Amino acid sequence: MHTFLLCTLLGCLASAMAAPTDAKVRWCIKSDAEMKKCNELSKTAELICIKREGSEDCIKAIKDNVADAITLDGGDIYVAGLENNDLHPIIAEDYGISSDTCYYAVAVVRKGADFDFKTLQGKKSCHTGLGKSAGWNIPIGTLIAQGQINWKGTEDKPVEEAVMEYFSASCAPGANKDSKLCKLCKADCTRSHKEPYYDYHGAFQCLKEKAGDVAFVKHLTVPDSEKHEYELLCKDGTKKSIDEYKNCYLARVPAHAVVSRKDPDLAKRIFEVLSAIEPSKLFHSAPADGKNLMFKDSAEKLVQLPSTTDSFLYLGAEYMSIIRSLKKDKSSSSTSDKVQIRWCVTSQAERTKCDTWSVNSMDSVVCEYAPSVDECFKKIMRKQADAIAVDGGEVYTAGKCGLVPAMVEQYDKAKCDNADGTSSSYYAVAVVRKNSGITWDTLKGKKSCHTALGRTAGWNIPMGKLHSSTGECDFSKFFSESCAPGADKSSTLCSLCMGSGSQVGGESSKCKASSEELYFGYDGAFRCLVEGKGDVAFVKHSIVPEYAGVASWAKNVQSSDFQLIGPGCSAEIDQYETCHLDKVPAHAVVTRPEMRADVVSILKQQQLAPASPGFDMFKSTDGKNLIFKDNTKCLQEIQTQTYKEFLGAGYITTMSSLRQCSSSISELEQACTFHKCQQ
């Protein structure tokens, strides 16, 4: 009895401590003016206002669970996303048709100024704040990239010192109060609204009051009534009117965003609370005697971000590159003169092969692990890895995330010495059991086996064709059951998947887009058909003869037990040239643009290196198709520079059609393409 009462009391206590679903959102604000606006909003909205001195104090308060959310600009989103803070952007400001969830960073001067962007040295500058996007990171990064500001890195001197040597005086709120970077400021030079020249309107005010010669702001800063008095400096040295920002800007920058702890329920609650507030109140600061309080006054609405978005994916590779360039440290990038590439692998079997490769390469190749191809892409984007070989559909996603194809697998040895640039290709096919009676026109309601969601032969080509002919996007309704690794585990698209097959922990691997799932990849999709789980397998043309009668799970079948089907055709397995779904590019190595030359150079060296006992780049001893396809004869440099040129117009058309189906877009691709400024 006592135990029951104790448990009941403890249960009540736990319930009391758990945050209710309708709990108020604790908003972190940074000034008295923001407090005034927040208090007014809290009269009708589920808000509690928590005051801190600046953005970094607010980031700490949210991390420590003292506050829940704040709106930050890109530079602060970067800081919030660092490992020691681990906050994530969850909601973006939308500025309407002029820029959506992006804005333009611009340089504004008084009309008739006798200097341009290339002759800014010695001028007086107005910045929104130290480390902020449009006011610091973009303009200073651009001036360094153009060689106007001479800075070799932090080992040489702090970037602030290089800026002080370039401009005669500045107001960069947040800088050292005793430095030239605060000389033009009106009050205490703090990175808050206590400094009148802080933020967009403050930097513009600094220019307007003739304290400075140039203001680095966003494109919507100059009021309509004053546009005729100012103009923009373009990077090429020309000038344009304020309204011509689309042809005269320093960079397109992701919009300001609400950041919070990584908690889906909290993110949902924050969006609900903000959505309940009238936009005319949320994006209007005049009643509180200020500008851009809590949110930008130029915002028109708020947009929820994909749940997997983190600060890196939100800001994009280009912006992150600019931030890194401002933090460059010679010692961190020159620890070794040896050029090497970090290869990303997605399974233990691949890791074992890669480790052997690393030893054989004398550490020209080192190995990095990630649980899936998409996670490898993230590592490559973050410079935690450099390269991976993937199929065409994954090349498409990689391209959308700013990566480029570098080398392509060649499956015809005679073409390895051919310099005409002819790439290998293969046929995407649909395989069924012979005499099953299944045709392309009777696939609806059948059970399907796919290599993985987003893969070329296993998903993009067949689903693209089905979508173009049926208009169907919910393929879980088209097929009765499927195994499409990478799909939602609770969906029927995963119901045929097996996991690792192990009695211990096997279920946790179910439907994973990696070799931990038995039915993943070409061999996995065919195995799904062989073992009677599925009625059709979408694979490439060489898979059936490669595995039938050879693999342990396919010992009792022969190629002749299967046939090909396609729109208007059925044929024997070896008749793939006349009965296929499409002819598609071979698998390719992708990397970051700046690593392309090194990746090509090292891979060319590696495939020409003398073979060592027990290792071959293009053979797998502990599995199949590890790192590269086993039927690869060589790697050839891709002559085109873009993923669209590599994949070809036909493939891009198929992908564009399939991308009308949101279920066919991976979470990573959604995060990479959320902004128009990322595309």
Side-chain angles (χ1 to χ4, degrees):
M1 181 66 179
H2 291 296
T3 304
F4 174 76
L5 283 172
L6 180 61
C7 291
T8 304
L9 286 168
L10 287 173
C12 292
L13 180 61
S15 299
M17 292 175 67
T21 55
D22 61 347
K24 291 190 175 186
V25 171
R26 298 167 297 176
W27 201 270
C28 197
I29 50 95
K30 303 178 292 184
S31 68
D32 292 336
E34 278 197 333
M35 179 62 88
K36 183 177 179 180
K37 177 177 177 178
C38 186
N39 283 335
E40 191 61 34
L41 293 176
S42 68
K43 290 177 181 177
T44 54
E46 298 292 306
L47 283 175
I48 295 175
C49 310
I50 307 288
K51 188 170 184 292
R52 290 294 183 269
E53 287 304 306
S55 297
E56 292 199 13
D57 287 342
C58 277
I59 289 169
K60 185 177 188 306
I62 297 168
K63 175 197 170 189
D64 294 342
N65 198 13
V66 176
D68 297 319
I70 185 176
T71 308
L72 298 175
D73 102 310
D76 290 326
I77 291 170
Y78 169 80
V79 174
L82 295 174
E83 198 171 334
N84 58 324
N85 294 319
D86 200 27
L87 303 187
H88 299 256
I90 57 171
I91 301 164
E93 292 182 344
D94 188 314
Y95 307 115
I97 58 172
S98 67
S99 53
D100 298 302
T101 53
C102 305
Y103 62 87
Y104 296 82
V106 296
V108 178
V109 296
R110 288 180 290 279
K111 188 164 281 187
D114 62 354
F115 57 90
D116 58 42
F117 193 76
K118 293 179 179 292
T119 56
L120 281 174
Q121 187 164 7
K123 300 298 180 285
K124 294 179 288 186
S125 59
C126 306
H127 306 263
T128 59
L130 195 72
K132 291 179 80 71
S133 298
W136 184 267
N137 293 340
I138 298 300
I140 302 308
T142 304
L143 289 167
I144 290 171
Q146 288 192 353
Q148 294 182 59
I149 294 180
N150 183 23
W151 185 59
K152 296 182 176 64
T154 54
E155 221 174 57
D156 178 35
K157 57 191 166 191
V159 69
E160 292 88 346
E161 191 176 315
V163 175
M164 284 189 280
E165 292 172 1
Y166 184 75
F167 293 114
S168 61
S170 306
C171 178
N176 185 318
K177 292 181 176 61
D178 300 322
S179 74
K180 281 171 63 180
L181 290 177
C182 285
K183 187 175 180 180
L184 302 182
C185 290
K186 207 167 186 177
D188 60 0
C189 196
T190 57
R191 206 164 171 270
S192 75
H193 292 287
K194 289 189 290 185
E195 167 53 60
Y197 289 168
Y198 167 70
D199 210 357
Y200 300 118
H201 69 282
F204 177 62
Q205 198 67 20
C206 166
L207 173 67
K208 185 176 178 179
E209 295 178 0
K210 299 187 178 179
D213 302 313
V214 59
F216 299 111
V217 292
K218 66 185 278 189
H219 71 288
L220 297 169
T221 302
V222 182
D224 289 343
S225 61
E226 300 176 48
K227 285 180 179 177
H228 65 282
E229 299 177 38
Y230 300 91
E231 57 190 347
L232 302 176
L233 300 183
C234 313
K235 286 189 288 187
D236 63 1
T238 61
K239 297 176 185 176
K240 293 194 184 308
S241 71
I242 296 297
D243 286 329
E244 291 182 274
Y245 57 84
K246 289 187 178 179
N247 298 312
C248 183
Y249 62 90
L250 306 184
R252 288 189 75 182
V253 184
H256 290 213
V258 177
V259 301
S260 185
R261 295 178 298 282
K262 193 172 184 180
D263 180 340
D265 293 333
L266 178 59
K268 181 182 177 186
R269 177 64 185 151
I270 292 169
F271 188 71
E272 287 172 349
V273 168
L274 295 175
S275 298
I277 303 172
E278 293 178 26
S280 60
K281 293 181 178 178
L282 200 60
F283 309 128
H284 191 44
S285 303
D289 305 317
K291 285 183 177 288
N292 303 317
L293 303 177
M294 297 176 65
F295 295 92
K296 294 290 153 275
D297 294 340
S298 55
E300 294 187 6
K301 63 180 179 180
L302 298 176
V303 182
Q304 270 187 300
L305 297 171
S307 60
T308 53
T309 304
D310 59 16
S311 59
F312 184 95
L313 293 174
Y314 182 74
L315 295 172
E318 185 179 7
Y319 185 80
M320 291 295 288
S321 176
I322 290 170
I323 289 183
R324 286 200 188 102
S325 74
L326 295 176
K327 300 178 183 299
K328 62 185 176 184
D329 184 339
K330 286 195 294 187
S331 62
S332 65
S333 59
S334 58
T335 51
S336 170
D337 293 331
K338 183 180 177 67
V339 177
Q340 60 180 201
I341 54 174
R342 292 163 297 174
W343 201 271
C344 197
V345 298
T346 61
S347 69
Q348 183 55 51
E350 280 196 333
R351 181 185 272 174
T352 300
K353 178 179 178 179
C354 188
D355 286 341
T356 305
W357 185 15
S358 181
V359 171
N360 278 270
S361 74
M362 304 292 287
D363 289 334
S364 290
V365 177
V366 294
C367 311
E368 293 286 341
Y369 170 79
S372 68
V373 169
D374 277 5
E375 291 301 317
C376 274
F377 288 162
K378 289 181 186 179
K379 280 200 162 192
I380 295 169
M381 291 159 67
R382 291 185 174 94
K383 299 188 177 181
Q384 297 166 345
D386 298 316
I388 184 175
V390 293
D391 106 312
E394 291 160 333
V395 170
Y396 183 89
T397 296
K400 287 289 187 180
C401 291
L403 305 182
V404 295
M407 299 197 82
V408 61
E409 294 178 348
Q410 175 57 260
Y411 310 126
D412 184 346
K413 189 169 180 59
K415 292 181 179 178
C416 281
D417 298 323
N418 193 341
D420 68 359
T422 303
S423 295
S424 254
S425 57
Y426 63 90
Y427 294 92
V429 297
V431 180
V432 297
R433 283 185 173 274
K434 193 172 282 186
N435 303 320
S436 65
I438 297 172
T439 68
W440 184 260
D441 295 327
T442 63
L443 277 178
K444 189 172 176 65
K446 300 299 187 291
K447 298 176 182 178
S448 59
C449 307
H450 308 263
T451 57
L453 199 72
R455 295 281 287 264
T456 300
W459 185 267
N460 296 335
I461 298 301
M463 299 304 100
K465 287 197 173 296
L466 288 173
H467 174 258
S468 62
S469 61
T470 67
E472 179 64 71
C473 268
D474 188 350
F475 298 112
S476 66
K477 292 179 180 175
F478 186 86
F479 295 110
S480 61
E481 289 184 285
S482 306
C483 179
D488 183 344
K489 197 172 179 180
S490 62
S491 162
T492 57
L493 289 174
C494 285
S495 59
L496 298 183
C497 292
M498 288 285 288
S500 67
S502 170
Q503 290 187 345
V504 180
E507 186 65 20
S508 65
S509 304
K510 184 171 181 175
C511 210
K512 270 192 177 181
S514 77
S515 55
E516 291 180 51
E517 163 58 59
L518 286 179
Y519 289 168
F520 168 76
Y522 295 123
D523 55 329
F526 182 47
R527 181 174 182 173
C528 166
L529 175 65
V530 168
E531 295 183 348
K533 288 294 188 76
D535 301 312
V536 59
F538 299 108
V539 291
K540 72 172 183 175
H541 70 278
S542 61
I543 292 303
V544 175
E546 209 173 305
Y547 286 90
V550 178
S552 59
W553 43 266
K555 287 286 188 187
N556 299 321
V557 296
Q558 301 299 321
S559 293
S560 57
D561 295 332
F562 302 92
Q563 67 181 54
L564 304 175
I565 62 169
C569 72
S570 63
E572 295 296 323
I573 290 297
D574 60 359
Q575 300 299 305
Y576 51 83
E577 289 188 18
T578 58
C579 188
H580 58 261
L581 305 183
D582 208 348
K583 189 176 182 180
V584 294
H587 290 211
V589 176
V590 296
T591 184
R592 294 183 305 282
E594 73 272 15
M595 275 297 293
R596 192 181 193 276
D598 286 341
V599 168
V600 169
S601 174
I602 289 175
L603 288 177
K604 282 182 175 179
Q605 292 170 15
Q606 287 300 298
Q607 65 183 2
L608 291 175
S612 60
F615 178 75
D616 186 324
M617 277 176 66
F618 308 127
K619 291 290 180 286
S620 306
T621 56
D622 188 24
K624 277 279 197 180
N625 301 317
L626 301 178
I627 301 180
F628 302 104
K629 294 290 156 277
D630 290 345
N631 61 338
T632 303
K633 306 306 178 190
C634 68
L635 297 173
Q636 293 176 309
E637 183 175 359
I638 295 170
Q639 301 306 310
T640 59
Q641 293 290 319
T642 71
Y643 74 98
K644 287 184 178 180
E645 291 173 324
F646 170 70
L647 294 174
Y651 193 103
I652 295 297
T653 299
T654 298
M655 293 298 285
S656 298
S657 172
L658 192 57
R659 284 314 184 258
Q660 295 173 35
C661 302
S662 59
S663 61
S664 287
I665 308 175
S666 70
E667 290 182 331
L668 174 62
E669 192 177 319
Q670 287 179 43
C672 285
T673 56
F674 179 81
H675 297 298
K676 285 188 177 178
C677 56
Q678 290 171 307
Q679 297 173 49

